[in-house]
Amino acid sequence: MGTHEERDVARRRFDVADAAPLLLDAAGVVTSWSSQAQRMLAYSATEAVGTRLADLVAAEDAGRVPELIERWRRDGGWAGLLSVRRGDGRPVRLMVRIASTEEARGPSRWLALLSEMTEAPGWDMPRAVLEQMVAHSPIGIAVVDTDLRCVWSNAALARFGGGPPQSRIGLRVADVQPGYDTEAVEAQMRHVLATGETVIGYEHVGHVRSAPHRETAHVLSFTRLDDEQGHAMGIYYTVVDITAHHRARQRLALLDRAGEQIGRSLDIVRTAQELPDVAVPAFADLVVVDLLESVLRGAEPASETPDGAAPVRLRRAGRQSADADVTGTVTIGEDVVYPPGSPPIRCLVTGRSWLEERLDRLAPEWGTDSPEGPAATFPDRGVHRVLVVPVRARGVTLGLTTFFRRRHQEPFDEDDLHLADDLVSRAAVCVDNARRYTREREAALALQRNLLPHRLPDQCAVDVAACYRPADELTGLGGDWYDLIPLSGARVALVVGEVPGHGIDAAAAMGRLRTAVRTLAALDLTPEEVLAHLDDLVATAAREEGVEPDPVGADSTQAVGSGCVYVIYDPVDGQCSMAAAGHPAPAVVLPDGSVTFVDLPQGAPLGAGGPPFQAVELALVKGSTLALHTDGLLARGTQWPADTDRDRLRRALEREAPSLDLRCRAVVDALIPDRPHDDVALLMARTRLLGDDQVADWDLPADPAIVSEARKEATRQLTEWNLEELAFITELVVSELVTNALRYATGPIRLRLIKERALICEVYDGGATAPHLRHPRTTDEGGRGLLLVSQFTQRWGTRFTPEGKIIWAEQSLTDTSE
């Protein structure tokens, strides 16, 4: 054996209980032989006593014995490896320790202890060596008896609390670690005692005496110890601290949960509330989120940060508490004012997070305007630890998130600060996305509100109800529209149309079309003329913008391919005229509840080119209901066959409802799904008829003397209607319009007065030219007739008929008692 190997072996501890003892004299001769030595080397005492040690050693080590004898004489002992020849001739490798026995009487001077090596020499671990390894192991190790009371533990176990090894003797786990879930731990031990099955990797999370304010995690393993007969003697268990790993897993789980639960909606307040919901109670006991008021409105937050010299007003957007007694005094939606110099203001100014272990030391800094009430009340509620993190996204501060912990929890540390920054950063992006969506949605809704009528105008021709449902439920924008336009002579125009596509582009195109329709309606054109002009406008705009008239693949930013139905109803005689451009024909619900569909020629879509539009006229009885709709009301494609569309609409229209509004909504609800694939607009108008007592007309001969008679008849009629206060203006209007007809027109002349929400005066003649308003000079003797009419009436105008024209003027009756 080399010197290095001997030195290594000599450092080993020797297990006396397992060794075979024998005695040697000073010359190395065996003087005493034990039964253990006999079993180990197969020599009887008679054979061994008197034999030199060199004769027992195998040939490879026999030459070393004299040298070893000199060494143990010099050093007072020796320990090392020797190969010994057994009585049966087989060599065996032994670990030998020589110790002096000078105190003993007799010739024997040296005690030799032999231990058989069962492993390779470099890995032989005698009991003493193992005891040293166990005692100094960094892993906590203990042995309990069958009553689960400690009989031995190493020093490493003291790091987990409970005192040094000697103080644990006779105690159970509940006595040493009252914060442990001792019932669960001892249940594992009893299971191992009963079954002999080793339990490895049992994880326990709780509080230990060494860290009462910090949650710790340990992995325990349990092994049963048996005696030589196989009876259970106790439990050998190990404890490994995995707190750091456990906390890392918790952080990852919290971040993963935050990724799943934060940002599930595009509502700002709901998104802000999702952050406290995730963080409580896993990370903090109380979490509040305060956002700038501009953020909640969806507006762009100010690029400049507060200077910290003035109070900053925020609004509470989220709050969650693990304790009903500690919820804060500010509810969601209320304003929060932080005083200058307070920690929240510093976070807003610097954009950096801030933490403090003891909130009561900062009571003066938070001030009496703290969002949770006076800061001095914090310690009374048990809230001592605070962490403030600014809500920042894309380089802009949107608000603050404040985390609080109560006294029983550990203080926030740097790892917690990094975790809070990660949580708030994720939430900040979601809040900013919701803010941006809110801004865009508000802009889109403002556009839609300005494109569709806020309310349908009051008039006496029809009772009307409308329902609009866009396919794009997020923005609420679509390309369908409806309108009701009061016309001259108490008539109304009913309009429903649609633009290809959805969203803001379609809404913008729809707005242009609706404006054009209203402008054309003001000219008192017939339905087919309105659609013809509209078709020209769309085609011209498409050519100017380089869009080919392709209704199938039309760009939704253009009106090419749009559909429209235009209806004019006259409540004086119940006549209705209509025309359509690439649009479904209206349905008519008669007073008896039966439903028919107007046989209306389908013109080409707007801007697509095609033959002239054709109009149809029909007479509607009082109480008939016109149903104008876009094709989104009828299912298309594979869900419903095309020939059943009208049958479904007929059944829906036949159902009774308490009011026209409810009937309109019921039809839409019955025919379209909750999330329609296309925009839907439905306009329902129930017709009225003006009574004979509301209309008066006279045929006038082409005689200048008839002007005075016309004034008298008009005044007489106003007296019957109790409108004497309007007699002067009405006489002026009748005189000027009749005189104008006599002077510039030919053919018969007819005067008509209509009393509804306005007093309407109409003069019909056979002329084909429209009068023009003139602005005469002071020296001119004429030309002031229409100027006076325009000044004294609410509005006036001209409309053409197949036989001539009608000049009309209106005076409002809304402020006059009938």
Side-chain angles (χ1 to χ4, degrees):
M1 179 186 299
T3 304
H4 176 76
E5 182 183 2
E6 291 179 355
R7 188 180 300 112
D8 180 67
V9 173
R11 285 197 298 266
R12 298 174 183 263
R13 296 292 184 266
F14 204 84
D15 189 351
V16 177
D18 294 335
L22 57 94
L23 293 177
L24 301 172
D25 61 11
V29 176
V30 177
T31 59
S32 177
W33 193 256
S34 65
S35 58
Q36 294 95 322
Q38 182 174 344
R39 285 195 299 272
M40 182 180 296
L41 298 179
Y43 291 110
S44 63
T46 304
E47 295 173 319
V49 173
T51 305
R52 293 185 309 147
L53 179 61
D55 296 334
L56 296 175
V57 174
E60 64 266 25
D61 285 338
R64 298 176 54 226
V65 173
E67 178 186 351
L68 296 178
I69 293 176
E70 291 297 328
R71 183 181 298 178
W72 75 56
R73 286 177 179 174
R74 182 181 67 250
D75 299 335
W78 174 83
L81 297 176
L82 287 175
S83 293
V84 179
R85 187 178 66 254
R86 286 170 47 88
D88 55 8
R90 180 171 62 86
V92 60
R93 192 72 166 167
L94 300 179
M95 186 172 183
V96 182
R97 181 175 180 181
I98 307 295
S100 174
T101 58
E102 292 182 357
E103 67 279 6
R105 295 180 180 180
S108 300
R109 302 232 8 226
W110 304 99
L111 171 66
L113 298 176
L114 311 180
S115 179
E116 188 172 2
M117 299 291 294
T118 58
E119 301 289 343
W123 294 97
D124 180 48
M125 297 293 176
R127 181 172 180 176
V129 175
L130 293 176
E131 285 184 355
Q132 183 180 11
M133 293 172 59
V134 170
H136 296 283
S137 171
I139 299 174
I141 303 174
V143 177
V144 298
D145 60 17
T146 53
D147 293 328
L148 308 185
R149 297 186 180 277
C150 181
V151 297
W152 179 88
S153 65
N154 67 347
L157 197 62
R159 295 199 308 271
F160 305 109
Q166 59 271 20
S167 66
R168 294 174 176 267
I169 303 300
L171 300 180
R172 300 177 64 161
V173 175
D175 303 323
V176 178
Q177 296 289 3
Y180 255 44
D181 184 1
T182 54
E183 292 186 3
V185 173
E186 291 189 350
Q188 295 291 328
M189 292 181 176
R190 292 190 182 94
H191 173 76
V192 173
L193 281 175
T195 64
E197 298 177 358
T198 298
V199 173
I200 298 175
Y202 173 75
E203 188 169 328
H204 178 274
V205 179
H207 294 82
V208 297
R209 283 185 171 179
S210 60
H213 301 298
R214 184 171 69 95
E215 186 179 70
T216 58
H218 300 135
V219 168
L220 295 87
S221 298
F222 306 93
T223 304
R224 191 175 76 177
L225 300 176
D226 297 335
D227 59 16
E228 294 180 353
Q229 287 75 36
H231 300 146
M233 299 171 55
I235 297 288
Y236 159 83
Y237 71 89
T238 61
V239 183
V240 178
D241 189 345
I242 61 165
T243 301
H245 177 67
H246 172 71
R247 297 189 64 174
R249 283 189 308 177
Q250 284 184 318
R251 290 185 174 92
L252 290 175
L254 185 61
L255 291 174
D256 183 61
R257 190 161 64 252
E260 293 178 354
Q261 300 183 12
I262 298 177
R264 293 178 294 180
S265 77
L266 289 173
D267 180 84
I268 297 177
V269 175
R270 186 180 303 174
T271 302
Q273 179 61 43
E274 288 168 347
L275 173 57
D277 290 344
V278 168
V280 175
F283 183 70
D285 295 318
L286 171 64
V287 178
V288 295
V289 178
D290 303 319
L291 299 177
L292 295 170
E293 192 272 337
S294 60
V295 173
L296 290 171
R297 288 189 287 107
E300 196 72 28
S303 57
E304 63 274 5
T305 59
D307 56 10
V312 177
R313 184 177 299 274
L314 302 174
R315 185 166 296 176
R316 181 61 44 84
R319 182 183 67 175
Q320 187 59 269
S321 175
D323 191 338
D325 296 332
V326 185
T327 60
T329 59
V330 180
T331 60
I332 294 178
E334 292 185 348
D335 288 345
V336 182
V337 180
Y338 290 101
S342 62
I345 296 298
R346 294 204 297 268
C347 288
L348 278 177
V349 172
T350 63
R352 293 192 295 270
S353 302
W354 174 90
L355 68 86
E356 179 59 39
E357 295 183 10
R358 301 290 298 177
L359 187 61
D360 53 345
R361 297 204 304 263
L362 296 172
E365 297 186 48
W366 285 78
T368 57
D369 291 332
S370 169
E372 308 308 321
T377 64
F378 274 121
D380 297 334
R381 298 177 181 177
V383 179
H384 274 238
R385 301 164 179 99
V386 62
L387 174 59
V388 184
V389 180
V391 180
R392 289 180 58 83
R394 301 175 177 93
V396 178
T397 301
L398 309 177
L400 295 169
T401 301
T402 309
F403 302 87
F404 298 95
R405 283 183 179 173
R406 303 194 68 183
R407 185 179 295 111
H408 70 275
Q409 284 204 3
E410 60 188 289
F412 289 112
D413 55 22
E414 289 298 322
D415 290 339
D416 292 325
L417 180 60
H418 295 320
L419 177 59
D421 284 339
D422 287 342
L423 283 174
V424 176
S425 295
R426 296 188 182 202
V429 173
C430 296
V431 168
D432 194 51
N433 288 339
R435 179 194 65 79
R436 290 168 175 253
Y437 166 75
T438 300
R439 180 188 62 190
E440 300 301 327
R441 177 173 169 78
E442 288 299 325
L445 291 178
L447 174 64
Q448 189 77 6
R449 285 192 296 268
N450 285 281
L451 294 177
L452 288 177
H454 296 186
R455 55 184 295 273
L456 296 174
D458 296 328
Q459 36 72 45
C460 296
V462 292
D463 296 318
V464 67
C467 183
Y468 174 74
R469 194 166 296 176
D472 189 345
E473 61 179 9
L474 290 180
T475 64
L477 289 174
D480 291 9
W481 89 93
Y482 59 87
D483 211 344
L484 184 148
I485 307 170
L487 302 177
S488 63
R491 302 169 307 141
V492 293
L494 304 171
V495 188
V496 168
E498 58 184 321
V499 171
H502 312 290
I504 194 168
D505 290 337
M510 175 268 287
R512 293 195 296 269
L513 274 184
R514 178 172 179 260
T515 301
V517 169
R518 293 185 70 88
T519 301
L520 293 170
L523 300 177
D524 270 326
L525 302 176
T526 61
E528 66 273 21
E529 289 175 325
V530 170
L531 294 183
H533 284 291
L534 196 61
D535 181 69
D536 289 340
L537 288 173
V538 172
T540 301
R543 286 193 299 270
E544 290 176 351
E545 298 183 20
V547 177
E548 293 296 328
D550 180 8
V552 177
D555 186 352
S556 63
T557 61
Q558 304 295 328
V560 176
S562 300
C564 181
V565 60
Y566 189 90
V567 178
I568 295 178
Y569 174 70
D570 189 344
V572 175
D573 55 9
Q575 288 297 309
C576 179
S577 61
M578 63 183 71
H583 199 278
V588 179
V589 184
L590 298 177
D592 61 2
S594 60
V595 178
T596 63
F597 292 91
V598 179
D599 186 11
L600 180 64
Q602 287 293 301
L606 297 175
F613 298 103
Q614 299 180 47
V616 298
E617 293 189 5
L618 62 156
L620 297 177
V621 298
K622 181 180 178 181
S624 300
T625 301
L626 281 166
L628 287 71
H629 61 88
T630 57
D631 60 5
L633 186 65
L634 304 177
R636 299 289 181 181
T638 59
Q639 184 179 2
W640 298 98
D643 58 356
T644 65
D645 290 348
R646 285 191 169 184
D647 292 336
R648 296 174 57 242
L649 178 57
R650 176 182 287 107
R651 289 194 297 271
L653 289 171
E654 287 173 347
R655 297 179 186 140
E656 296 290 338
S659 67
L660 191 61
D661 269 329
L662 293 177
R663 191 173 195 176
C664 185
R665 293 185 180 277
V667 170
V668 173
D669 291 339
L671 295 179
I672 68 171
D674 294 335
R675 301 182 65 179
H677 69 279
D678 194 7
D679 304 326
V680 175
L682 173 63
L683 180 66
M684 298 184 70
R686 186 165 52 225
T687 61
R688 300 175 184 174
L689 282 177
L690 298 181
D692 293 339
D693 58 344
Q694 293 179 278
V695 181
D697 57 2
W698 302 269
D699 290 324
L700 304 176
D703 183 357
I706 200 63
V707 176
S708 61
E709 187 64 29
R711 289 197 300 264
K712 291 177 183 178
E713 292 294 335
T715 301
R716 190 179 303 113
Q717 186 63 50
L718 291 182
T719 301
E720 291 183 10
W721 287 342
N722 296 320
L723 298 177
E724 294 88 346
E725 64 272 19
L726 299 181
F728 175 76
I729 296 177
T730 304
E731 287 181 359
L732 174 64
V733 171
V734 170
S735 178
E736 294 298 333
L737 296 186
V738 172
T739 300
N740 198 64
L742 290 170
R743 180 176 300 178
Y744 299 106
T746 60
I749 299 174
R750 186 167 54 251
L751 170 64
R752 183 168 73 167
L753 295 180
I754 301 172
K755 171 178 167 280
E756 41 116 42
R757 297 182 61 85
L759 176 63
I760 303 171
C761 178
E762 296 181 341
V763 174
Y764 164 82
D765 62 52
T769 59
H772 297 284
L773 185 66
R774 297 170 57 187
H775 297 277
R777 294 170 295 182
T778 56
T779 57
D780 291 342
E781 295 182 357
R784 293 179 176 84
L786 288 180
L787 179 62
L788 292 174
V789 171
S790 67
Q791 294 298 313
F792 286 106
T793 60
Q794 185 178 18
R795 62 177 187 151
W796 74 280
T798 304
R799 71 175 181 270
F800 290 91
T801 66
E803 297 82 14
K805 68 176 182 296
I806 297 174
I807 303 176
W808 55 269
E810 291 183 4
Q811 300 175 70
S812 175
L813 297 180
T814 55
D815 297 327
T816 303
S817 301
E818 297 185 8

